[in-house]
Amino acid sequence: MRLEELKKGFWGYQKDAVFQYITQQEEIFTQKLAEKDAQLERTDRQAQARIRELEQENRTLKEELARLREQQDQISQAILDARASAEALKAETRAQEESAREKLRQALEQDLAELTRYREKAADLRKAVRAAMEGLEQQAEKMERETEELYEAAPKGSLTLFQ
């Protein structure tokens, strides 16, 4: 019913028509209000469901974040451990290298000392050989002289004992 459809009486609108109009309007508004309440209820339930869903997702993400942070801490610790281990290995390698160099230097010094002894022995041997050669040379010369003297002293004619 519309406001224009209200019946008019002598003194204005008829009370029954006005009450009927007001009742109709009240029913329409009550129905619309109930629909709005139902709509709000559905929206509220959806919002509550979404809130629960987001809270669950938030808890899941917080757990994952905690797990990832723990992994990150483990990775950081592993990197620090690896660096410390690398430094220790470097130091150990340097020490071994220095030790090897020292051993090599000592072996080289020993070899050089042995070579020096060999050189001295070779020089002594050369002197001994030279002295022996000189001695042999002198003996050979003496023998040559003696041979020469014997040759000179030997008779020059026919050698017959009984003639």
Side-chain angles (χ1 to χ4, degrees):
M1 171 182 271
R2 291 187 171 154
L3 196 53
E4 296 88 27
E5 295 175 359
L6 285 178
K7 294 182 186 177
K8 294 185 182 179
F10 185 69
W11 295 99
Y13 295 108
Q14 291 181 354
K15 281 186 180 182
D16 289 337
V18 170
F19 283 134
Q20 187 181 8
Y21 176 75
I22 290 174
T23 305
Q24 277 181 345
Q25 289 301 316
E26 183 184 5
E27 286 175 6
I28 291 171
F29 287 138
T30 303
Q31 184 182 6
K32 285 183 180 181
L33 190 58
E35 288 174 5
K36 285 276 187 192
D37 284 345
Q39 176 74 23
L40 284 174
E41 178 93 14
R42 282 192 306 273
T43 304
D44 186 46
R45 277 191 304 246
Q46 289 174 347
Q48 289 298 325
R50 180 70 177 147
I51 287 171
R52 284 190 298 276
E53 192 178 292
L54 289 173
E55 285 175 345
Q56 179 60 37
E57 185 178 341
N58 188 26
R59 278 191 297 275
T60 304
L61 289 174
K62 282 182 179 179
E63 289 170 1
E64 184 177 352
L65 178 63
R67 185 178 52 78
L68 290 174
R69 282 187 177 158
E70 186 177 323
Q71 285 180 350
Q72 182 181 14
D73 291 344
Q74 290 173 351
I75 290 170
S76 297
Q77 187 61 42
I79 289 172
L80 291 174
D81 290 347
R83 284 183 182 162
S85 179
E87 290 298 320
L89 284 174
K90 283 180 185 177
E92 184 179 340
T93 302
R94 280 189 217 113
Q96 288 176 351
E97 183 180 319
E98 190 61 35
S99 174
R101 281 185 186 152
E102 182 62 26
K103 286 178 183 178
L104 184 62
R105 186 187 59 75
Q106 288 174 355
L108 182 61
E109 286 177 0
Q110 287 175 352
D111 289 347
L112 288 174
E114 191 171 342
L115 281 174
T116 301
R117 283 192 303 273
Y118 286 149
R119 184 183 304 146
E120 289 170 358
K121 285 182 181 181
D124 291 343
L125 183 61
R126 185 181 316 129
K127 287 178 185 175
V129 168
R130 187 177 292 144
M133 290 297 285
E134 287 175 2
L136 287 175
E137 184 71 29
Q138 288 172 357
Q139 284 179 354
E141 285 178 12
K142 182 179 174 185
M143 291 173 114
E144 275 182 26
R145 279 194 307 265
E146 287 175 0
T147 306
E148 190 71 32
E149 289 174 7
L150 286 174
Y151 182 73
E152 294 284 325
K156 300 247 186 268
S158 74
L159 294 174
T160 56
L161 281 173
F162 301 103
Q163 275 191 359

